[in-house]
């Protein structure tokens, strides 16, 4: 099956600096001669440079109502962004995290953030987003989705396999260099995936697997036989570096638990997870995305009601402003659609995205095949491939599990519940609610996390 691609043109200048392998920051003009004496922190000092955006963004409306925002599958609207929006427009913000667009009708939202191409198509067909675009804002040239006029592009956040670099290094494991390598015996027991049936992130991963393997999707999934969690939050809680993920990021993820680490050094998640798991200096991250596993996703916002509320249209317009685009970049919530504003920010340093003027959004392709892929995924997990015996172990590969591990992190035990077995029950203690939970962002309250 050929990989489906939709070409999308960023309205931006090409960002010259690129992110180095293993998430090492690019060299900046502000980098001190002794970086260990005064480490450069992403985003510091950029305000005084007077960098302006390239988008001719509309002026957002003003008001006093509360706008309820549904955040799909790891999408972020950080507290500082919500406060800045309130200060400029007067609208308050309440966020409702959801794991996939199937939950959108229950969210009671005025606007949704974090739709990718496939999500937007599904929501449009289901009638859960508006049938027409917002009055004040148009999606940028090259980013429109055919038949989905309500969707307005604002950023990019690919779905990838994210590796815990410290764990892999301490356990003498090399990072996988191809998608197919995920199903090898030495790698497959290390991987956790959010359920593609209910999770937008899991569905994107399955879509990438279908593009990579074609007609061999079923046998690939059968051999992969990953640990499957019910939500993105549960997957992050099962990551060996999960305890390093910021509380702000976790507060907007369904099923997450603060400070929790698990047994899986490889997890399927948005690239923004890397920026949410930075070290104390802010100059490196515990995680790194494996480029060969990524599916490019442009992020869209859309009003959910007709006519759209003033608050919804105000937020959609504001997201294209230089202030909002810069904030997306400095917080690492997404790579901004206006890529020039990513310079010297978490988005530039940790996302692995460089602001190239031509970027494919692979989630738009083969939308009608999604049902068949999900059926194949389910059938393959019901009958996983037989485990190889020690005599079948490929030459040069370790025959056992890691003999060493980072201090304070659990080792991978092939006999532990869930390791390499998607059918075993998840033993996490997250409290999964059927109904989305609303979290209000007050304009002057920094401590708004539950």
């Amino acid at each position: 099956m050929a990989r489906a691609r939709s070409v999308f043109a960023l309205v931006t200048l090409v960002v010259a600096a690129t992110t180095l392998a293993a998430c090492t920051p690019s060299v900046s003009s502000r980098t001190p001669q002794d970086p260990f004496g005064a480490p450069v922190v992403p985003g510091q000092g950029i305000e005084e440079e007077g960098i302006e955006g390239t988008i001719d963004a509309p002026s957002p409306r003003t008001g006093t109502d509360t706008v309820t925002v549904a955040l799909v599958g790891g999408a972020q609207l950080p507290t500082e962004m919500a406060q800045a929006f309130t200060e400029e427009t007067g609208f308050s913000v309440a966020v409702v995290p959801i794991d996939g667009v199937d939950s959108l009708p229950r969210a009671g939202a005025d606007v949704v953030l974090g739709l990718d191409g496939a999500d937007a198509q599904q929501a449009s067909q289901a009638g859960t987003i508006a049938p027409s675009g917002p009055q004040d804002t148009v999606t940028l040239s090259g980013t429109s989705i055919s038949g989905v006029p309500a969707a307005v592009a604002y950023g990019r956040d690919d779905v990838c396999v994210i590796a815990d670099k410290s764990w892999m290094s301490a356990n003498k494991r090399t990072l996988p260099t191809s998608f197919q390598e995920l199903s090898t015996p030495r790698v497959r027991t290390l991987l956790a995936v959010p359920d593609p049936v209910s999770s937008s992130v899991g569905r994107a991963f399955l879509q990438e697997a279908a593009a990579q393997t074609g007609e061999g999707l079923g046998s690939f999934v059968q051999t992969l036989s990953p640990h499957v969690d019910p939500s993105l939050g549960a997957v992050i809680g099962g990551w060996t570096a999960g305890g390093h993920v910021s509380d702000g990021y976790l507060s907007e993820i369904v099923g997450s638990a603060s400070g929790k680490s698990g047994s899986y050094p490889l997890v399927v998640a948005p690239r923004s997870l890397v920026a949410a798991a930075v070290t104390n200096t802010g100059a490196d991250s515990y995680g790194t995305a494996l480029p060969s596993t990524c599916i490019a996703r442009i992020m869209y916002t859309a009003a959910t009601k007709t006519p759209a509320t003033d608050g919804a249209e105000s937020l959609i317009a504001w997201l294209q402003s230089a202030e909002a685009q810069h904030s997306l970049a400095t917080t690492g919530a997404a790579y901004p659609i206006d890529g020039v504003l990513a310079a010297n920010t978490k988005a530039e340093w940790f996302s692995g995205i460089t602001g190239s003027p031509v970027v494919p959004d692979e989630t738009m392709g083969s939308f009608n095949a999604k049902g068949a892929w999900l059926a194949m995924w389910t059938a393959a997990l019901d009958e996983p491939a037989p485990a190889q015996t020690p005599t079948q172990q490929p030459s040069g590969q370790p025959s056992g599990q890691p003999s060493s591990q980072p201090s304070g992190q659990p080792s991978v035990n092939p006999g532990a519940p869930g390791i390499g077995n998607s059918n075993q029950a998840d033993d996490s203690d997250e409290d999964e609610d059927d109904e989305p939970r609303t979290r209000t962002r007050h304009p002057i309250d920094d401590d708004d996390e539950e």
Side-chain angles (χ1 to χ4, degrees), residues 353-382:
I353 300 171
T354 62
S356 169
V358 178
V359 180
D361 180 356
E362 297 174 359
T363 67
M364 293 186 194
S366 302
F367 173 72
N368 292 331
K370 186 182 74 167
W373 293 338
L374 289 172
M376 197 173 298
W377 167 272
T378 302
L381 292 185
D382 285 343

Side-chain angles (χ1 to χ4, degrees), residues 51-64:
I51 293 180
E52 296 182 357
T54 63
I55 298 175
D56 185 18
S59 297
R61 300 180 189 180
T62 59
T64 57

Side-chain angles (χ1 to χ4, degrees), residues 328-411:
L328 285 170
T330 56
T331 60
Y335 193 92
I337 208 76
D338 195 348
V340 70
L341 295 174
N344 192 41
T345 66
K346 284 184 177 181
E348 181 189 55
W349 285 15
F350 301 126
S351 72
I353 300 171
T354 62
S356 169
V358 178
V359 180
D361 180 356
E362 297 174 359
T363 67
M364 293 186 194
S366 302
F367 173 72
N368 292 331
K370 186 182 74 167
W373 293 338
L374 289 172
M376 197 173 298
W377 167 272
T378 302
L381 292 185
D382 285 343
E383 296 186 27
Q388 288 187 329
T389 64
T391 58
Q392 295 173 308
Q393 190 74 26
S395 175
Q397 304 290 357
S399 59
Q401 293 301 314
S403 59
S404 61
Q405 65 196 55
S407 176
Q409 294 193 359
S411 62

